[in-house]
Amino acid sequence: MDIANIAIELEKAGASVIGMPSNTAHTGPIFDTVKAELTRQGSQVRFLNMIDEVADYINEVYPGKAVSVLVTNGTKNNGLYKNSLEAKGIPFIDSHESLQEKIHEAIYDKTYGLKHVSSPVTNRAHDALVAAIQELKGHGAELIIMGCTDIPMALREKSYYGLPVLDPNRILARALIRTQDATKLKEDVL
């Protein structure tokens, strides 16, 4: 069953607003196709874009802060976060090629990466991501987005080297609650 059909099933079950906890699935070719299919099928469900919600959250809570993102090569290369953040006026600090390769390996390496060894997370993956944050801070980053769903398994603190570290799925969860019934939204403790 594809994403649009799952969304339709959720709508039939009573959902009026939905979100998708996947960074990659928010790339234009995927997300736009899903939205178009929902429209074609006459869906009335509100489908939140996690990446846009993150950018809106940053503008609300951390206005003017320069942001960097820990992501896979694929997510970096398609400009998913960079394009959304820059479109909303958020300063973006990109990772250079050698740093990006270390971040990608911390996620995908078959011997220690998060997608292959996650319970427990290896010290090598954790340390590589923390070192990346330190380096990005040195390049001017003031805020870090964990732009891969697996990274929060390794980075459990709310900040590293004084930089807040944001989990897009937590931001999406808050946006879903706010959109459905803002009175149920508790104080922001991200």
Side-chain angles (χ1 to χ4, degrees):
M1 184 175 277
D2 68 10
I3 297 168
N5 288 334
I6 292 169
I8 295 292
E9 289 300 314
L10 290 170
E11 184 176 20
K12 287 177 185 173
S16 60
V17 60
I18 60 172
M20 185 170 36
S22 166
N23 290 279
T24 304
H26 285 81
T27 59
I30 298 171
F31 194 79
D32 295 345
T33 300
V34 171
K35 293 278 288 189
E37 181 60 19
L38 290 174
T39 298
R40 189 190 72 72
Q41 291 192 37
S43 172
Q44 298 300 306
V45 74
R46 182 154 178 213
F47 198 175
L48 300 185
N49 182 308
M50 181 171 71
I51 311 310
D52 290 342
E53 293 295 336
V54 170
D56 291 343
Y57 178 85
I58 291 168
N59 271 334
E60 180 183 325
V61 179
Y62 299 100
K65 297 287 186 189
V67 179
S68 194
V69 185
L70 301 176
V71 293
T72 64
N73 288 344
T75 301
K76 177 182 170 31
N77 292 340
N78 69 34
L80 181 63
Y81 276 98
K82 180 180 189 293
N83 296 338
S84 179
L85 295 170
E86 288 181 344
K88 295 194 179 212
I90 299 169
F92 184 77
I93 306 294
D94 212 347
S95 56
H96 58 76
E97 191 173 327
S98 64
L99 177 59
Q100 178 57 38
E101 199 51 44
K102 292 174 187 172
I103 296 166
H104 183 80
E105 287 174 2
I107 298 166
Y108 270 109
D109 186 272
K110 291 185 180 185
T111 60
Y112 69 91
L114 299 172
K115 291 201 179 281
H116 297 281
V117 186
S118 60
S119 185
V121 169
T122 65
N123 288 338
R124 187 171 176 188
H126 170 270
D127 294 349
L129 293 170
V130 171
I133 292 170
Q134 184 177 31
E135 187 168 337
L136 290 165
K137 180 180 182 177
H139 292 290
E142 300 171 283
L143 181 66
I144 301 292
I145 298 170
M146 295 183 281
C148 172
T149 308
D150 298 295
I151 292 175
M153 292 185 297
L155 300 180
R156 297 185 179 262
E157 301 299 322
K158 293 182 193 256
S159 69
Y160 292 85
Y161 302 106
L163 300 184
V165 180
L166 303 180
D167 180 351
N169 284 307
R170 289 182 59 98
I171 293 169
L172 177 62
R174 291 184 58 77
L176 287 163
I177 294 166
R178 184 190 67 246
T179 302
Q180 182 62 36
D181 183 354
T183 66
K184 296 191 187 261
L185 191 60
K186 298 204 185 273
E187 182 181 340
D188 184 2
V189 291
L190 298 178

